[in-house]
Amino acid sequence: MKTQVLKIDEDSLALAKWIIEGGGVVAMPTETVYGLGANAFDTAAVERIFEIKGRPNDNPLIVHIHKDYDISTLVEDVPEYAKLLAKAFLPGPLTMVYESKGTVSKAVSCGLDTLAIRIPSHEGAQKFLKFVNLPIAAPSANVSKHVSPTTAEHVFTDLNGKIELILDGGKSEGGIESTILDCTGDFPVILRSGLITREMIAQVAGECGEYVYKDGMRALAPGMKYKHYSPNCRTVLFDFNELEKAVKLYKEESGNGARVYLLCDDKTSKEAKVENVLNLGKDENAIASNLYLKLREGENIADLIIAVAPEKQDGVMVGVMNRLTKACR
Ligand code: TXA
Ligand code: MG
C-alpha cells in the first residue's frame, strides 16, 4: 500500500472522507500528538487500528468529535462539573470519560461501559472531523510502545505502507497526549496527566482527584499499565540533582565508543558542558512540546540517551515526567 502525505485542503479532505466511509483509517494531526482515526461506528475499521498499531485489545480508544457534534448521541448524562470544564477547556487537550450510550462500536471501549470523548482544538483536526461528521476513534498514530508522533513525518516513519493517508497539519505544538479525566463520579479524577493540569481542573470544578497507577492494580485507563513511549535505543533517566552522575556516565560511555546524548532542559544543558545535547527548551510548555520530537531525533543518532529530569515537577511537568519515566524504563 502506498502511503500519501497530504496537506489539508478540499481535495485531501474529500479523499480522507472517502477512505473513512469505506472502512479505512486516516492519520490526522491534533494539538497534542497525531492520531490514527477510523469511523467509531464501524467495528471492522476500529479493529484495523488495533491490527496496524499492534495494540493490545484491552486498551480502549478515545473518540474524537468536532465542536458542534451532539455528544448526547454518544454518552449518558454529562454532570454539571463536566459542563463547566468543557466550557473552560474545550476544544482542547482534555479527554473526558462518561457512561457510554453504547451507540459506537463495542471495539472502541474494549468492553468497558464508558466512553472517552475528545474535542481537539487543532484547526486541521476540526476541519477533518467536521468534513466526515462522524465520531472518529483514534489512538496515537505510532506503532504500539514506540514514541508518540508529533509530526506527519513521525507517522510516516512508523506506518509507511500500512495506511493510505496521512493528513499533514504541521507540528503538534502541545507535544504530549491529552489529559484524561474520569467524569463518571461525583467529582473529576485524572486518569492520565497532560497539558490541562490538576490545578486548572480543580479551579473550575472545585476539586480534582488523581489516579496513580501501581503495578498489579486494576488500571482505570488501561493504557497506563503498558510499556510506552520508548525510543529504539538505550535510555537512562537521572533526577535533576544527579547531573554529576549523568555526566560521569556520559563520559564513560563516550569513552567506550558509544554515541551518547544528554536529554535535558536548557538550564541543565548549560551546566552539563557536554558536546551532544538534545535540548528540550526553557519552560514547561516548551519541554512538553519538544519531548517526543527530541526522543525521536535521539533514537536516530544515539546509542544511548541519558535523560536528566527538570527541577520543576508540578503542573504540566507531572505529565512530562510520567512520559519520560516510561520512555526510560
Ligand atoms: O492526545 C490524545 O489523547 C491522543 C490524540 C490522538 O488525541 N490520543 C491518545 O490515544 O493518546 P491513545 O490511544 O494513545 O491513549 C488513549 C488512552 C489509553 O491510556 C486508554 O487506556 C485510555 O485513553 N482510555 C480510552 N478509553 C477509555 C475509557 N473509556 N476509560 C478509561 N480510559 C480510557
Ligand atoms: Mg498512545
Side-chain angles (χ1 to χ4, degrees), residues 78-87 90 96 98 183 205:
V78 173
E80 228 23 72
Y81 69 78
K83 286 182 187 151
L84 292 175
L85 290 168
K87 203 165 166 214
L90 300 186
M96 298 164 90
Y98 301 108
C183 296

Side-chain angles (χ1 to χ4, degrees), residues 28 30 32-36 53 55 58-62 64 93 95 97-98 108-109 112 114-116 118 120 138-142 148 176-180 191-192 220-224 228:
M28 62 166 181
T30 83
T32 57
V33 301
Y34 274 68
L36 184 62
K53 278 186 61 105
R55 182 178 176 103
D58 65 347
N59 189 6
L61 307 179
I62 296 171
H64 298 65
T95 297
V97 175
Y98 301 108
V108 172
S109 280
L112 297 177
T114 54
L115 188 64
R118 169 150 147 68
S140 49
N142 51 290
S148 298
I176 60 171
E177 297 86 346
S178 62
T179 305
I180 302 181
L191 305 181
R192 178 177 74 186
L220 289 185
M224 298 307 281
H228 254 104

Side-chain angles (χ1 to χ4, degrees), residues 226-245:
Y226 288 108
K227 185 178 157 68
H228 254 104
Y229 321 119
S230 306
N232 299 323
C233 65
R234 284 190 295 141
T235 48
V236 52
L237 173 62
F238 287 97
D239 217 357
F240 81 94
N241 57 12
E242 294 179 317
L243 180 59
E244 243 173 72
K245 268 201 217 163

Side-chain angles (χ1 to χ4, degrees), residues 85-157:
L85 290 168
K87 203 165 166 214
F89 301 120
L90 300 186
L94 177 66
T95 297
M96 298 164 90
V97 175
Y98 301 108
E99 302 291 341
S100 177
K101 261 206 169 134
T103 46
V104 300
S105 164
K106 283 193 170 50
V108 172
S109 280
C110 302
L112 297 177
D113 48 19
T114 54
L115 188 64
I117 304 269
R118 169 150 147 68
I119 305 176
S121 60
H122 189 287
E123 200 191 327
Q126 279 294 324
K127 275 190 187 156
F128 165 64
L129 293 166
K130 194 102 200 179
F131 209 84
V132 296
N133 199 27
L134 283 168
I136 296 293
S140 49
N142 51 290
V143 167
S144 199
K145 301 186 182 68
H146 193 209
V147 181
S148 298
T150 54
T151 67
E153 200 188 337
H154 293 164
V155 181
F156 190 80
T157 302

